[in-house]
């Protein structure tokens, strides 16, 4: 269980892509990317999540990616993704992470196993009891095959080392129940739902789309917190076309295509992921230019 001062999981968090060069993680490109976002006002980073293609990375590669991010994060908190079907393996990996200054661990229900509510709860409790940092639940049934019921999540919220949830559950009723309960900091995990979640009292967002104009996502979050709804609404509507394009093909292929065109990294993914179609890349580039026209970058 965590003995450290717990991080407040609020604001805009970026679930980082994993840049590759000739098939291997590219630490230089990753550090360059992280340093760029540090200057954009984000609250923290998540590494080795679904956007980071973690399922295709070996365990030593995941640690390599984590270390590169920690080096470049300039003191901003870094959460490590930690999911899989083998609970004993996850517990061993948790022990290995004790040597690194991470702020939390993001974990989804075991994919493919489909353990049921009691099994899922026991799984998360075992992780929370073992982790030296707070556990962030990742409710994403379309990837794991397990839908976490509201009652299960509210029961898990009572554990002192379960601090937050990345909410991709697809249920407004569940989101409202979690926010109303107050036991977990609720972070929108579906990018198009970030406005609504924060407006309803959610803590923030973990948004792959925030790789593109992170400063605007931060501005939208801050405007919502300040009750400047018209400002937040305008930013949300400006971001929406880009967000739709970023999910026109499986994430993170469209995102990597645009980041390559912007000079941050190569357009490489690890099989079986495929590069986005060139036509989509051109659409993304045009959408990014339109965002810059509407909201000229300050740096």
């Amino acid at each position: 269980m965590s003995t450290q001062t717990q991080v407040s999981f609020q604001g805009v968090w970026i679930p980082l892509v994993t840049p590759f060069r000739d098939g291997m993680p590219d630490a230089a490109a990753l550090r360059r990317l992280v340093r760029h976002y540090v200057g954009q006002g984000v609250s923290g980073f998540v590494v080795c999540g679904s956007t980071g293609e973690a399922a295709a990375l070996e365990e030593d590669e995941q640690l390599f990616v984590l270390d590169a991010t920690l080096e470049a994060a300039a003191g901003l908190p870094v959460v490590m993704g930690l999911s899989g079907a083998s609970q004993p393996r996850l517990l061993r990996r948790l022990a290995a992470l004790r040597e690194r200054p991470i702020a939390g661990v993001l974990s989804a229900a075991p994919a493919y196993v489909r353990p049921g509510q009691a099994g899922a709860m026991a799984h998360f409790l075992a992780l929370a009891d073992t982790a030296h940092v707070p556990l962030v639940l990742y409710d994403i049934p379309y990837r794991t095959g397990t839908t976490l019921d509201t009652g299960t999540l509210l029961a898990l919220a009572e554990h002192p080392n379960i601090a937050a949830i990345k909410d991709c559950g697809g249920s407004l009723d569940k989101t409202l129940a979690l926010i109303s309960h107050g036991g977990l900091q609720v972070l929108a995990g579906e990018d198009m739902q970030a406005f609504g979640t924060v407006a309803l009292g959610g803590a923030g967002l973990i948004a792959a789309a925030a790789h593109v104009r992170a400063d605007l996502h931060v501005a939208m979050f801050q405007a919502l917190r300040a009750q400047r709804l018209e400002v937040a609404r305008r930013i949300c509507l400006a971001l929406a076309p880009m967000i739709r394009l970023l999910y026109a093909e499986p994430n993170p292929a469209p995102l990597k295509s645009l980041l390559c065109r912007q000079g941050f990294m190569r357009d490489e993914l690890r099989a079986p992921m495929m590069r986005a179609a060139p036509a989509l890349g051109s659409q993304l580039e045009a959408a990014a230019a339109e965002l810059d026209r509407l909201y000229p970058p300050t740096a």
Side-chain angles (χ1 to χ4, degrees):
M1 186 179 300
S2 175
T3 58
Q4 299 183 1
T5 301
Q6 293 199 0
V7 169
S8 178
F9 296 99
Q10 298 191 39
V12 177
W13 292 66
I14 296 187
L16 289 164
V17 297
T18 299
F20 292 109
R21 177 176 288 270
D22 300 327
M24 301 300 293
D26 184 349
L30 180 58
R31 287 192 291 264
R32 184 165 58 248
L33 203 61
V34 170
R35 289 175 184 134
H36 170 72
Y37 296 124
V38 167
Q40 298 283 298
V42 302
S43 296
F45 300 99
V46 177
V47 297
C48 296
S50 48
T51 301
E53 300 173 78
L57 297 176
E58 300 296 334
E59 290 182 19
D60 62 330
E61 291 177 321
Q62 292 192 16
L63 291 176
F64 179 81
V65 167
L66 173 61
D67 289 341
T69 303
L70 288 168
E71 180 184 336
L76 286 181
V78 177
V79 168
M80 178 65 169
L82 190 75
S83 297
S86 169
Q87 186 181 103
R89 182 180 301 158
L90 293 181
L91 295 177
R92 290 195 298 270
R93 291 176 63 194
L94 270 175
L97 289 171
R98 287 183 175 273
E99 301 174 358
R100 290 168 168 84
I102 59 175
V105 171
L106 175 74
S107 194
Y112 185 79
V113 176
R114 302 183 68 192
Q117 298 305 300
M121 183 179 295
H123 174 74
F124 286 121
L125 291 175
L127 295 181
D129 286 341
T130 302
H132 67 296
V133 289
L135 184 67
V136 180
L137 304 174
Y138 189 5
D139 185 18
I140 185 161
Y142 58 82
R143 284 189 181 270
T144 65
T146 296
T147 297
L148 298 171
D149 292 345
T150 301
T152 299
L153 293 171
L154 294 180
L156 288 168
E158 300 300 324
H159 193 288
N161 202 37
I162 299 179
I165 182 167
K166 180 179 180 183
D167 178 21
C168 299
S171 166
L172 179 59
D173 285 343
K174 186 159 59 174
T175 301
L176 285 168
L178 291 169
I179 292 172
S180 297
H181 179 269
L184 295 172
Q185 292 181 290
V186 179
L187 296 142
E190 296 294 330
D191 297 0
M192 288 294 283
Q193 295 172 14
F195 180 99
T197 295
V198 176
L200 288 166
L205 49 146
I206 301 176
H211 281 83
V212 184
R213 290 303 302 270
D215 59 326
L216 290 181
H217 289 80
V218 171
M220 182 183 72
F221 171 79
Q222 292 175 341
L224 283 168
R225 279 298 177 90
Q227 297 296 309
R228 292 183 288 120
L229 293 181
E230 186 54 40
V231 172
R233 190 180 297 116
R234 286 199 302 270
I235 297 173
C236 179
L237 292 174
L239 289 170
M242 172 64 73
I243 294 172
R244 292 191 186 97
L245 288 171
L246 287 172
Y247 291 95
E249 293 184 22
N251 180 49
L255 178 55
K256 282 193 163 184
S257 175
L258 180 58
L259 291 174
C260 175
R261 289 168 181 254
Q262 293 178 333
F264 285 106
M265 54 187 287
R266 290 189 179 186
D267 187 8
E268 283 192 34
L269 298 99
R270 184 162 284 183
M273 290 294 295
M274 302 285 288
R275 292 170 60 181
L280 178 56
S282 297
Q283 288 179 285
L284 286 161
E285 201 167 25
E290 176 63 10
L291 267 180
D292 288 349
R293 184 188 71 80
L294 294 172
Y295 292 93
T298 56

